[in-house]
Amino acid sequence: MKKVLLLASAILVAASTASAQVTTQKFVAGWDNFGEPLNFTKSNVKWSVTATTHKLTVTYNLVGARPSKLYQVSINFFCSTFPATFGQFPNDLGAGSCFPLTRQGVTRDSAEVEVGVLLTDIHGNGSFTVGIGPVPSGTYEIEFFVRDGAGCDISGGAGNGSDCAVDFQSPGPFGTAITITVP
């Protein structure tokens, strides 16, 4: 009986170690557009890191945004250098590149990765989940953000005009980062 209990305990510990803890963060207004509708109380971004697979999973949830609209979802990395790719997604600037970006009166060196497009329904609600990996081991200072349209910095996209403006960010204001560690 003791062996069965010990084995069950070992399996439970191994399973809990392999599962990823989900962190939920609220959105605030972006650094470009301040009038875009959103229920800031119910909208969020959720993320988790799975250590065994070196995978970052991110879910962007918008509630009460503009109905039937495309929003491009992205990640800003505050850095001095950055690899050519983050998981399967390219750095907007290429290998080793971080550039000074000034928003909301703050200048930080950063790299950006575009990870997908979220389409809201007729009520302005929508979500998008992406698995990014494998991610190289390391510590990353990041900020999630949502663009005003789709196609910014994307081959075949709509261009680099007003669709590049940022409607929502998390955490915010610009330059405020959360730290993600990939073991």
Side-chain angles (χ1 to χ4, degrees):
M1 185 67 165
K2 283 185 181 178
K3 287 183 181 180
V4 171
L5 254 144
L6 287 175
L7 180 59
S9 295
I11 291 171
L12 184 61
V13 168
S16 66
T17 302
S19 67
Q21 180 179 353
V22 176
T23 300
T24 302
Q25 299 174 204
K26 297 290 185 187
F27 280 112
V28 297
W31 53 79
D32 293 316
N33 293 334
F34 302 103
E36 192 70 11
L38 190 69
N39 182 329
F40 289 102
T41 303
K42 294 182 178 180
S43 299
N44 59 54
V45 60
K46 296 180 180 185
W47 61 269
S48 64
V49 174
T50 305
T52 55
T53 59
H54 293 263
K55 182 178 173 183
L56 171 65
T57 302
V58 183
T59 300
Y60 295 79
N61 296 300
L62 300 182
V63 177
R66 195 163 308 280
S68 302
K69 181 174 177 173
L70 290 174
Y71 291 93
Q72 186 168 311
V73 293
S74 311
I75 304 173
N76 228 344
F77 297 85
F78 299 112
C79 52
S80 55
T81 61
F82 197 76
T85 62
F86 184 73
Q88 70 272 33
F89 296 101
N91 175 349
D92 285 355
L93 298 174
S97 297
C98 296
F99 64 98
L101 184 61
T102 302
R103 298 289 184 268
Q104 296 179 293
V106 175
T107 301
R108 298 235 11 219
D109 287 347
S110 66
E112 294 177 354
V113 174
E114 314 300 327
V115 297
V117 175
L118 183 158
L119 172 62
T120 58
D121 64 16
I122 61 170
H123 305 289
N125 303 330
S127 70
F128 176 81
T129 299
V130 61
I132 304 169
V135 174
S137 295
T139 301
Y140 301 92
E141 280 189 76
I142 69 170
E143 182 174 22
F144 301 100
F145 64 100
V146 178
R147 294 188 186 275
D148 188 49
C152 184
D153 295 322
I154 302 292
S155 178
N160 292 330
S162 64
D163 58 330
C164 290
V166 174
D167 292 342
F168 317 116
Q169 61 185 319
S170 182
F174 179 79
T176 304
I178 52 118
T179 301
I180 290 180
T181 302
V182 179

